[in-house]
Each structure stands twice: as structure tokens, then as C-alpha cells.
């Protein structure tokens, strides 16, 4: 599952970049970087990057889900943040589904690398 951790880390980094691109919107429309919305966006960026270091733990999936719940709840402070949260939540649902499918195929011995 090391390869899947790489995909997860890449997705978290992409997500941090996309959320960082919301900073100019917060600066112009959300009350500025020093507002609560600005601190929320900065906290999410730091949390996404920090979660990359935690991916080897089994509980990291719960951290990722919690971050997305916070991001979707951010819809009430800034609509763009909520939309980004919904889009990336759908990406993570797909990634977790793929992971479950690979684990199932691995247990059954049906992966191409397991064939002789």
C-alpha cells in the first residue's frame, strides 16, 4: 500500500495548493487574511501538508475525513471553500473506494502482479 500512500500524499498536496489559491479570494471578499476565514484557510493548508507525514498510520483516513468535514462546513463562512471541500470530498470517496477494491483483490489473489 506504499503506492497508495503516494497517491494520497499527492492528493493532499494538490488540495493544499487549491486551498492556498483561495487566499486571494479571502483577502478581497472574505474580510482579509487576518479574519476568521483567513485563519481557517491557513489552518487547512497547514493541516493538509501536515497530514502527509501521518499517512503511514491507519488512523490517517479519519484525519482526512475530519479535515473535509471542516472544509465543507466552511461553506458558511466562504462559499468557495465549501465548494472546494465538496469536490475534494468526492475525490477522496473515489480514492478510498479504489483502496478497498485493491485490498479485496489482493486478498483474493486477483491482482495482475499476483498472477503466474
Amino acid at each position: 500500500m506504499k503506492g497508495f500512500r503516494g497517491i494520497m500524499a499527492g492528493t493532499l498536496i494538490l488540495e493544499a495548493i487549491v486551498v492556498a489559491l483561495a487566499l486571494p479570494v479571502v483577502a478581497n471578499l472574505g474580510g482579509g487574511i487576518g479574519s476568521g476565514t483567513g485563519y481557517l484557510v491557513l489552518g487547512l493548508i497547514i493541516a493538509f501538508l501536515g497530514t502527509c507525514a501521518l499517512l503511514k498510520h491507519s488512523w490517517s483516513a479519519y484525519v482526512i475525513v475530519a479535515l473535509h468535514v471542516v472544509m465543507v462546513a466552511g461553506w458558511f463562512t466562504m462559499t468557495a471553500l465549501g465548494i472546494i471541500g465538496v469536490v475534494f470530498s468526492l475525490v477522496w470517496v473515489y480514492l478510498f473506494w479504489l483502496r478497498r477494491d485493491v485490498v479485496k483483490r489482493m486478498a483474493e489473489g486477483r491482482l495482475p502482479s499476483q498472477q503466474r
Side-chain angles (χ1 to χ4, degrees):
M1 300 280 40
K2 287 182 183 179
F4 185 72
R5 281 190 295 195
I7 292 170
M8 290 172 63
T11 304
L12 285 169
I13 290 171
L14 283 173
E15 195 164 359
I17 291 169
V18 171
V19 173
L21 290 173
L23 282 174
V25 176
V26 171
N28 291 331
L29 302 175
I33 303 295
S35 67
T37 306
Y39 290 131
L40 174 65
V41 170
L42 289 172
L44 283 171
I45 294 168
I46 293 168
F48 286 134
L49 294 176
T51 305
C52 290
L54 303 174
L55 290 176
K56 62 183 171 186
H57 301 288
S58 61
W59 46 266
S60 64
Y62 299 113
V63 173
I64 292 169
V65 170
L67 287 172
H68 285 88
V69 168
V70 169
M71 200 156 124
V72 171
W75 190 298
F76 298 108
T77 60
M78 191 173 86
T79 307
L81 188 63
I83 292 171
I84 294 169
V86 169
V87 169
F88 273 103
S89 294
L90 293 173
V91 169
W92 281 101
V93 165
Y94 180 65
L95 285 176
F96 288 137
W97 179 81
L98 282 177
R99 182 183 186 279
R100 184 185 62 92
D101 187 50
V102 168
V103 167
K104 180 178 143 185
R105 287 182 183 200
M106 191 182 298
E108 295 171 353
R110 294 188 308 141
L111 288 177
S113 62
Q114 294 174 323
Q115 303 298 319
R116 291 185 182 197

